Amino acid sequence: MHLVTVTILATLIAIGLLAVASYGVYFFAKGPRERPGYCRACGYNLRGNRSRTCPECGQRFLRP
Ligand SMILES: [Zn+2]
């Protein structure tokens, strides 16, 4: 293999790993807060709540 080919392949693999890593970090950071039925701000359980406002922290939400 040429050195240029190896460099290009290494760069592509590095970009791929970086993309996968950032995707994982994004989901890890975002995941727990975006659970349906729970407040986005504090994680309070909003099931059965129809006021559209979190009783725990006052955060407004569109869907209970
Ligand atoms: Zn809340």
Side-chain angles (χ1 to χ4, degrees):
M1 265 204 257
H2 275 283
L3 185 66
V4 177
T5 312
V6 172
T7 309
I8 290 169
L9 277 174
T11 308
L12 287 174
I13 290 166
I15 290 169
L17 285 173
L18 199 72
V20 169
S22 56
Y23 194 70
V25 168
Y26 175 75
F27 255 86
F28 184 76
K30 188 187 175 185
R33 290 188 173 201
E34 290 291 325
R35 286 181 302 176
Y38 291 86
C39 176
R40 270 193 243 173
C42 68
Y44 187 82
N45 191 341
L46 299 170
R47 286 173 197 275
N49 188 315
R50 294 181 185 180
S51 67
R52 293 192 176 186
T53 308
C54 175
E56 190 73 9
C57 68
Q59 175 79 30
R60 289 179 64 84
F61 53 89
L62 295 173
R63 286 181 296 172

